[in-house]
């Protein structure tokens, strides 16, 4: 019997509108009432993850920025692993607009989200109900900061070309993952959701083998590979499906795939 659940948010626990529906909320609550531990592991920043935690009515540690940062139940940082500056500087020096004029550079630094151009309409198109937006700053100012992750939003074909250059300038010494078709993320080589989940599980006297995990992006690969049972979402990014052919696929996030599988497993 598994004793813990570790779930990604966007494209996984959340529906197509990036929200928690009532069925999922009730299911998670019922699973916790059974004594099962529940953890969130997301690429989001702390504020974005906390908003979902609050809607679930939970008070739990949060794995954010793909495992680069963990916050405890009270919002206190208990783990941080930023990108090394030599790698972040190399990435920021790339002329990414040559790959595609529509590509947008984003970074997370602590609780802050920064961009170098004002593209509010772009973020509203992704999520019309968004209530917070990145702070616009200069590239020079970004280079003075430390990052939990850098990410680029844009067309998939253009991001594939950018991925090659990032691999070249960082010499394979960072994690590079497509979280979505239009989102390429870069974070520390030592940071991933599996290591972060292991850190929290061990604090509760559990192991990764005691857990089931759910995810839809390549940043979920290690977690789904190392958990006792890793479930791939039906809507998962094609690279994740191809890299985990033996893992069970559940229904899509739009069809409450996580909640339905939790009912099957625990209720």
């Amino acid at each position: 019997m598994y004793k813990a659940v570790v779930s990604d948010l966007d494209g996984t626990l959340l529906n197509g509108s990036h929200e928690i529906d009532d069925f999922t909320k009730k299911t998670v609550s019922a699973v916790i009432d059974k004594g099962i531990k529940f953890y969130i592991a997301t690429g989001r920043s702390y504020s974005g993850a906390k908003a979902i935690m609050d809607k679930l009515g939970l008070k739990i540690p949060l794995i954010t920025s793909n495992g680069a940062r963990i916050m405890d139940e009270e919002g206190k940082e208990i783990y941080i692993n930023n990108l090394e500056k030599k790698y972040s500087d190399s990435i920021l020096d790339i002329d990414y607009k040559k790959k595609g004029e529509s590509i947008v550079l984003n970074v997370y630094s602590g609780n802050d989200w920064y961009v170098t151009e004002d593209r509010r309409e772009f973020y509203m198109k992704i999520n019309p109900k968004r209530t917070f937006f990145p702070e616009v700053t200069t590239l020079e100012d970004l280079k003075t900061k430390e990052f939990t992750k850098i990410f680029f939003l844009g067309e998939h074909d253009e991001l594939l070309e950018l991925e090659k250059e990032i691999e070249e300038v960082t010499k394979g010494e960072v994690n590079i993952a497509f979280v979505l078709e239009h989102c390429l993320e870069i974070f520390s080589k030592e940071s991933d959701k599996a290591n972060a989940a292991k850190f929290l599980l061990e604090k509760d006297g559990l192991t990764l083998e005691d857990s089931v995990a759910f995810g839809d992006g390549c940043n979920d690969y290690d977690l789904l590979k190392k958990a006792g049972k890793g479930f791939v979402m039906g809507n998962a990014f094609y690279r994740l499906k191809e890299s985990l052919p033996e893992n069970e696929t559940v229904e899509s996030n739009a069809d409450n795939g996580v909640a339905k599988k939790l009912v099957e497993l625990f209720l």
Side-chain angles (χ1 to χ4, degrees), residues 78-93:
I78 57 175
Y79 177 85
I80 183 75
N81 188 6
N82 289 317
L83 265 170
E84 284 190 54
K85 196 170 189 311
K86 63 179 178 180
Y87 299 128
S88 61
D89 282 349
S90 294
I91 295 166
L92 293 179
D93 283 339

Side-chain angles (χ1 to χ4, degrees):
M1 178 67 173
Y2 297 109
K3 300 175 182 178
V5 178
V6 187
S7 180
D8 175 45
L9 289 180
D10 298 284
T12 303
L13 194 68
L14 307 185
N15 61 25
S17 299
H18 303 279
E19 295 179 340
I20 287 281
D21 64 30
D22 287 341
F23 176 57
T24 296
K25 183 176 180 180
K26 290 176 182 177
T27 301
V28 170
S29 179
V31 167
I32 292 173
D33 286 344
K34 286 275 190 177
I36 305 300
K37 293 289 184 179
F38 189 88
Y39 307 91
I40 287 171
T42 179
R44 288 189 178 205
S45 65
Y46 173 68
S47 58
K50 183 179 183 299
I52 301 303
M53 178 186 74
D54 292 342
K55 288 179 181 178
L56 282 167
L58 302 178
K59 202 167 186 180
I60 57 176
L62 295 172
I63 296 168
T64 67
S65 296
N66 299 321
R69 192 170 189 236
I70 305 175
M71 313 294 280
D72 71 9
E73 296 89 338
E74 304 300 328
K76 179 182 177 182
E77 183 180 280
I78 57 175
Y79 177 85
I80 183 75
N81 188 6
N82 289 317
L83 265 170
E84 284 190 54
K85 196 170 189 311
K86 63 179 178 180
Y87 299 128
S88 61
D89 282 349
S90 294
I91 295 166
L92 293 179
D93 283 339
I94 293 174
D95 187 0
Y96 61 91
K97 289 292 187 180
K98 282 188 176 180
K99 309 298 181 184
E101 283 297 322
S102 65
I103 296 176
V104 181
L105 166 68
N106 299 254
V107 305
Y108 283 168
S109 178
N111 287 331
D112 300 313
W113 173 19
Y114 296 101
V115 291
T116 56
E117 53 187 308
D118 189 355
R119 296 287 299 277
R120 181 167 291 221
E121 79 289 345
F122 177 87
Y123 296 101
M124 287 298 292
K125 185 176 180 181
I126 296 173
N127 182 4
K129 296 183 179 181
R130 182 179 296 282
T131 57
F132 62 97
F133 297 89
E135 179 181 339
V136 181
T137 189
T138 65
L139 187 62
E140 291 70 27
D141 180 58
L142 283 186
K143 288 186 175 182
T144 68
K145 303 181 186 300
E146 293 188 320
F147 310 134
T148 51
K149 75 173 186 179
I150 297 173
F151 60 109
F152 294 90
L153 302 174
E155 295 300 318
H156 186 56
D157 288 347
E158 296 170 349
L159 293 179
L160 284 171
E161 291 302 310
L162 179 58
E163 178 187 33
K164 293 176 185 176
E165 187 164 351
I166 294 171
E167 288 175 341
E168 182 178 337
V169 301
T170 60
K171 299 178 174 57
E173 294 299 321
V174 299
N175 269 320
I176 306 172
F178 273 97
V179 176
L180 298 167
E181 182 179 359
H182 301 293
C183 181
L184 180 66
E185 304 198 348
I186 306 97
F187 43 103
S188 169
K189 193 74 170 179
E190 291 75 34
S191 296
D192 63 56
K193 293 183 181 182
N195 286 337
K198 181 175 181 288
F199 177 85
L200 288 182
L201 284 160
E202 287 180 349
K203 287 172 69 69
D204 286 326
L206 301 173
T207 68
L208 274 171
E209 289 72 27
D210 293 319
S211 71
V212 297
F214 298 86
D216 73 307
C218 292
N219 58 330
D220 298 308
Y221 173 83
D222 288 301
L223 177 62
L224 300 185
K225 185 78 172 178
K226 296 176 181 178
K229 183 77 171 177
F231 296 98
V232 177
M233 301 303 295
N235 54 285
F237 184 57
Y238 72 89
R239 279 191 181 179
L240 184 68
K241 290 183 175 180
E242 290 173 355
S243 63
L244 294 172
E246 297 180 358
N247 285 54
E248 181 180 341
T249 298
V250 299
E251 292 186 49
S252 72
N253 66 317
D255 294 318
N256 297 306
V258 174
K260 288 178 179 176
K261 180 54 67 170
L262 290 179
V263 170
E264 180 184 323
L265 290 170
F266 301 111
L267 304 177

